[in-house]
Amino acid sequence: MGNQLCFYCKKIKGDHEVCVHCRKSESTKPKQPFHLAPGTMLNKKYNMGRSIGSGGFAITYKAYDTLIERMVAVKEFYPRGYVNRRPGETNVSICTGNSREDYDQWKEKFKKEAQKITSLNEKEDAAREEDIIKVFDCIEENQTVYIIMEYVEAPLLRDKLKEERMTEETACVYMTALLKALEKVHRHGMVHADVSPDNIFITGMDSVKLFDFGTAGFLGKDSGDDPLGKPGYAPPEQYRSKSRQGAFSDIYSVGAILYEMITGIKPVEASDRMVKDTLEPPSALGIKLDPNLDRAIMQAMAVRPEYRFQYVEHLQEAIEDKRVAEYPEEKIKRLQKRRKLAVSLTLFS
């Protein structure tokens, strides 16, 4: 008798070898040879399905909780290039020449990040936590770590941006929802460190759900030329090893997202801006928008962290026209003028 549950889409397929819903068979190979094969059981509880996303540090799978009978998302710690897994096997092995000690430390950071999100979920009122992904469990198996999260059936902001450029009003509505979620994250001493359209579900006309906090545990890791985040959205400090990062780092990312919402253009990478900053404000591209919003976007995306908004609440106030924003170059000129004046007063006093 065939398995009643399809390993891939997790819908009931009856006795059919090929699923009538997704047209895949149980013999279909995983997307990548190092991915867990559909049907793998994790913790004697989670029936693993197909992979639904992957990045530099993790692979996310759709899975089925056989005890509670619900769909979940399972995020596996898998730092690409540092570990490997043979096709058909489940255990992860460290690549030759890499340090077991480093790997174990990263695993612990990955686990602690899951614990922080769980704590964040518990501390927030149930009615107010819908904008941050819920974490149900964190387990160790196969020489690695798995975070069990809620599975969300909703479009990604990434897909929304592919459709068309947003109006100023629509962009600001979604941005307000995103900033509310980030305010909670920052209030609990966390930095997301990978805010991008790939990590934001659009769950309603004025609501979002933020997920994928996996990179946050790696702040301070020597990233070299490979940023801990998505190119175009990752701030300059994430291209530098051992650089100070904070709420202002996430603010750069949300500024980049707002820029793309308004202009329809993905911002140039921060690494290029550090060499020569050619990023033009939306108004210079012929986009008609509120002048203060134009300045707020560019202030949020200032190359130097000290010229950005330092708190998401300040960016929100600028979006609502309750705080005057400044173009970074104007702020630099103003501060330089103030310093010269201070020096002059000291010399002639």
Side-chain angles (χ1 to χ4, degrees), residues 137-191:
D137 199 0
C138 183
I139 58 178
E140 279 197 74
E141 199 167 319
N142 303 330
Q143 305 299 316
T144 187
V145 180
Y146 298 86
I147 299 175
I148 315 302
M149 307 173 290
E150 66 175 314
Y151 177 75
V152 180
E153 282 281 5
L156 291 169
L157 176 58
R158 174 192 64 201
D159 300 324
K160 198 86 172 176
L161 290 174
K162 287 179 182 178
E163 296 173 2
E164 59 182 349
R165 181 170 64 85
M166 292 184 183
T167 65
E168 178 181 334
E169 181 181 6
T170 300
C172 288
V173 167
Y174 285 133
M175 184 54 57
T176 295
L178 175 59
L179 291 176
K180 284 181 180 178
L182 273 176
E183 188 276 327
K184 297 177 190 177
V185 174
H186 296 165
R187 177 155 38 90
H188 288 282
M190 298 170 61
V191 178

Side-chain angles (χ1 to χ4, degrees), residues 190-209:
M190 298 170 61
V191 178
H192 187 284
D194 192 17
V195 183
S196 77
D198 292 350
N199 297 333
I200 301 166
F201 285 117
I202 300 297
T203 53
M205 296 296 292
D206 59 355
S207 58
V208 302
K209 188 182 284 284

